[in-house]
Structure formats: structure tokens, C-alpha cells
Amino acid sequence: MDTQQQRIKIAVQKTGRLTDHSLDLLERCGLKVRKSKDQLFCFGENMPIDLLLVRDDDIPGLVADDVCDLGICGLNVVEEKRLERVANGKNALFKRVYDLDFGHCRLSIAAPEGIKYSGPESLRNRKIATSYVGILSDYLKSNSIDAEIEYFSGAVEIAPKLGKADFICDLVSTGGTLQANGLEEVATLLDSEAVIIQTQVPLSEDKQQLVDKILQRLDGVLQVRESKYIMLHAPRSALSEIRDLLPGTEAPTVVPLDGSQDKVAIHAVCRENVFWETLENLKAAGASSLLVLPVEKMLA
Ligand code: PRT
Ligand code: ZN
């Protein structure tokens, strides 16, 4: 039975850095969706899974309040909202169930270039601008540092120039924004990536089975990203050298070549990228007819 009750709802960022990747991953897990006219809802056409498209900041709350069963969101937001809920006396009713290995960034303290920074002590009685009041307060508290936190909802990096703060605490990815604003990263508070969170309210057996299936498919999707299928011919005598050269493989398949006494075909899944250097080394070891193919799906 496919009633509303049994459909899984996943909260996904509507428009932003995580949107394309999140939708792409779900599609690779086999989900086909149809967007509603208002673009806020995606109906799962081939699985009982629907998507709610919202601001990333709303995702932990929707999962904690059991409006959505799952949510895809940056760990930075998950952690900030968890601390916010705890500070407001609410339960943080969500659990982190999967790390997605995209949306990597870090929440860091940055100082104007040339300012001496010698650990958290340097922050004592100074002013720090941030949108991450919860994580920053927690960090200062755990280091027994009193400092003033100035809340900025965006453009945190301009706070020191405006004379509004001595330091900032913001997300950093390439470091380009800090550099463009004459700032230096001096401490990392949190390493972040996109994660899946799940409501702590127990799901029905059917729903939990479907969640487990999606997480298992994600394992396959993430594993194949770097994986390649490699095929080559080689003299039997070169087998052990070639096996050692194949990156990230367990047991390659070795089959005799029709009409040849000493040549074999070797097929293997390489769980790492196969670079030109590897192919050149394999050729030098005696391999020929080398083929590298992308792997589309994998189920362990
Ligand atoms: O509208 P909505 O509220 O949904 O979106 P948003 O504007 O709050 O979030 P969005 O789309 O900008 O980011 C979503 C998530 O992407 C974040 O919560 C992080 O988990 C992750 N992420 C990864 C980043 C970055 N990298 C990133 N570089 N989020 C923001 N930035 C910003 C950062 O704030 C700074 O302004 O990029 C700038 C720094 O980048 P670099 O490369 O110059 O260091
Ligand atoms: Zn946001």
C-alpha cells in the first residue's frame, strides 16, 4: 500500500550549493521525481519517496519535528541547529546517518593579515563576527575564553574592514574569499561535508527498510564514482607484476585467450582512478590492448 503515511519525505536544499549534487545522488539511487508547479515539492514517480525543497537552514528543524524523515544538509548547519535547539531547551531529534563526501568546507576563525594569533587565548575579550553563534560559543566555552560574538547573517568577511569585529568565524572552501578580503585562516572549528540526517522518531518497518535500501544504494553510487573497469591482455608470466600495478583491486579475473598458450585476458575493478602513468607502467610490464571503462553501478 502506497498511502501518504508510508511515503518517505526527504528535505533537500531548494537552490544553493548542495542542490544539484543532492538531486543527482538521489537520481543515481534510482529515484525519478516530478516537480510541483511551485517547485517546492518533488513527487517520487517510481518509489514512495518525495522531496521537499527548502532552505538548508530549515532542514534540521523539519527532520527534528518529524515533518521529514530524512534531510540532506551541510554538517555545519546540522551542528549549528543542534546547538541552537539545545540552547532553547528543545530536543535535537535527529541523527546523522550518512556522510555524502561532497560540499566539503570548514568552519574557521580568520584574522586580518599580519595580526598575531597564538591559539584561542588570542580571542579573549575580542569581537568575532559570525553566522555560527552556536558552534563558536561552544568552541569558546570549551576553551574557557570570554569573547564578544557579533551576529552577521551574511558577508561576514567584511566585518573587520568595517571595524565591526577583530576576527571572523565563517565557512572556508578554497580560501579565495578570505584572501580577497585580506584575512588569514588561523583555526578550524569544524570540518564539514553534506550529510544525511534522519528523524529519531522510529519509522515503520516498511519505511525503515526503504531508508536502508537507499543508504545501501548510496554506498554503491559513492563507490563507483572513482571506480573503473580495466581490461587488458598480458603474458601469463607477467601476471603477478601486473596484479601489483592495478590500483585498488582485490582479485582480478584471469581468462585464457582463445588460441594462445601463454597470453591471458585480465579484467579488474579498480576502486581508484586509473591514471595514464598506471597504463604506461602496465604496458611496460607487458600488457597490451588496454581498455578502461567507467563503472555505472556496483552492489557489494
Ligand atoms: O538559501 P539557503 O539558505 O538554502 O542557502 P545558503 O546561502 O545558506 O547556503 P549555500 O548554498 O551557500 O551553502 C550550502 C552549504 O554548502 C553550506 O551550508 C556548506 O555546508 C556548503 N559549502 C561548501 C559552502 C561552501 N563550501 C562555501 N564556500 N557554503 C558556503 N561557502 C561560502 C562561505 O560562506 C564564504 O562566503 O563561500 C565563501 C568561501 O568560499 P571560498 O572558496 O572563497 O573559501
Ligand atoms: Zn542557508
Side-chain angles (χ1 to χ4, degrees):
M1 221 183 15
D2 182 11
T3 60
Q4 194 59 31
Q5 209 60 44
Q6 274 152 338
R7 295 182 72 83
I8 284 183
K9 275 200 232 60
I10 309 181
V12 175
Q13 191 186 25
K14 184 171 187 276
T15 24
R17 288 168 199 262
L18 306 181
T19 309
D20 289 351
H21 233 106
S22 305
L23 295 177
D24 180 59
L25 269 183
L26 291 168
E27 194 185 312
R28 281 166 189 267
C29 287
L31 178 66
K32 290 195 171 55
V33 294
R34 183 166 22 95
K35 250 191 198 170
S36 66
K37 274 207 186 107
D38 58 10
Q39 313 263 307
L40 295 177
F41 188 80
C42 292
F43 177 78
E45 293 183 321
N46 60 339
M47 292 192 219
I49 298 177
D50 302 321
L51 311 181
L52 216 62
L53 302 178
V54 292
R55 288 199 56 194
D56 66 345
D57 315 68
D58 295 334
I59 293 175
L62 287 167
V63 176
D65 295 338
D66 200 30
V67 178
C68 290
D69 306 290
L70 299 176
I72 301 180
C73 177
L75 181 61
N76 50 301
V77 173
V78 171
E79 197 48 21
E80 180 65 19
K81 295 295 168 188
R82 185 184 70 78
L83 290 166
E84 205 174 277
R85 287 182 79 90
V86 171
N88 291 329
K90 290 186 189 168
N91 282 329
L93 286 174
F94 48 77
K95 54 186 176 189
R96 175 176 166 189
V97 291
Y98 205 95
D99 295 352
L100 289 165
D101 197 22
F102 72 89
H104 287 277
C105 57
R106 48 203 187 272
L107 184 67
S108 293
I109 306 263
E113 275 162 12
I115 295 279
K116 210 168 147 282
Y117 182 86
S118 41
E121 272 304 322
S122 303
L123 302 172
R124 194 179 294 282
N125 299 327
R126 309 306 291 272
K127 217 185 231 188
I128 313 166
T130 193
S131 322
Y132 290 85
V133 174
I135 299 177
L136 178 58
S137 313
D138 198 54
Y139 175 79
L140 294 170
K141 202 168 144 202
S142 64
N143 284 286
S144 312
I145 300 290
D146 267 335
E148 195 180 331
I149 299 179
E150 186 76 22
Y151 175 74
F152 266 62
S153 60
V156 180
E157 63 277 359
I158 60 168
K161 249 189 262 170
L162 297 177
K164 297 263 185 200
D166 304 300
F167 296 91
I168 70 160
C169 171
D170 198 14
L171 296 177
V172 184
S173 166
T174 61
T177 304
L178 292 185
Q179 204 181 9
N181 287 281
L183 298 165
E184 262 175 347
E185 193 174 356
V186 292
T188 299
L189 275 49
L190 176 80
D191 280 308
S192 181
E193 67 186 285
V195 298
I196 301 186
I197 49 172
Q198 180 177 335
T199 170
Q200 289 214 2
V201 176
L203 300 179
S204 69
E205 205 175 313
D206 284 355
K207 273 185 162 188
Q208 189 57 52
Q209 269 176 10
L210 189 54
V211 168
D212 292 343
K213 187 196 261 186
I214 291 290
L215 298 185
Q216 192 186 38
R217 287 189 182 181
L218 272 172
D219 276 342
V221 169
L222 296 181
Q223 258 182 36
V224 299
R225 240 185 352 189
E226 294 268 288
S227 297
K228 295 281 178 278
Y229 193 75
I230 185 162
M231 302 197 284
L232 54 91
H233 294 172
R236 212 175 262 284
S237 56
L239 203 56
S240 88
E241 189 180 351
I242 283 181
R243 196 175 284 164
D244 292 345
L245 285 170
L246 289 170
T249 51
E250 280 142 36
T253 307
V254 181
V255 279
L257 273 179
D258 209 15
S260 167
Q261 285 295 319
D262 62 321
K263 270 204 156 183
V264 288
I266 302 175
H267 292 193
V269 174
C270 298
R271 289 174 192 265
E272 298 164 22
N273 226 330
V274 179
F275 296 104
W276 279 109
E277 288 75 10
T278 311
L279 296 183
E280 284 153 7
N281 292 339
L282 286 165
K283 196 166 159 51
S288 58
S289 306
L290 290 131
L291 263 184
V292 181
L293 308 170
V295 176
E296 166 126 355
K297 289 189 176 69
M298 201 188 276
L299 193 64

